[in-house]
Amino acid sequence: MLKSFFNILSDKVSPKEKQKDVVMEMTSTTNKENSNMGRKALTRTQKFLNALLRGEAISWTQAQNVYGFKSPRTVVDGLRRKGHMVYINKTGNGTSYRIGTPTKEIIAAGLAATGQIVYNS
């Protein structure tokens, strides 16, 4: 390769060396194309969050069976720490999770708990 570089500078490149360079360029581009194929796999937490963001209500057993969580509560707590408003609905059928928008009262309570000024309008 170094030899062909100096040959380029002197404008004296043999046909064999040109052919080597062409073959090397073709294989390097082919390897680059093959190495970038496919998508990065989504994590279970991201799949769970995507389902919630689509508006689905996911039950406790669904979170365990479909998404493979041993404790869905820890995943929900993690999503809350990241800023998502995940609600828990407890009914006679069991517990389910959904994403919603916080009410003014919840926002005011959170601001009051952190010591920030709450504006009432």
Side-chain angles (χ1 to χ4, degrees), residues 79-92:
L79 292 175
R80 286 180 178 157
R81 279 192 299 273
K82 290 181 181 178
H84 298 284
M85 194 67 185
V86 181
Y87 290 98
I88 296 176
N89 295 330
K90 293 185 179 182
T91 62

Side-chain angles (χ1 to χ4, degrees), residues 18-58:
K18 282 185 183 178
Q19 188 177 11
K20 273 188 206 176
D21 289 340
V22 170
V23 170
M24 287 181 72
E25 286 177 16
M26 287 175 57
T27 56
S28 65
T29 57
T30 305
N31 290 340
K32 286 179 187 175
E33 291 171 328
N34 290 340
S35 66
N36 293 333
M37 292 180 65
R39 292 184 182 172
K40 185 177 176 183
L42 294 176
T43 62
R44 293 181 298 176
T45 306
Q46 187 62 47
K47 289 178 185 178
F48 182 73
L49 177 61
N50 288 345
L52 290 174
L53 291 173
R54 283 192 303 265
E56 296 177 23
I58 301 173

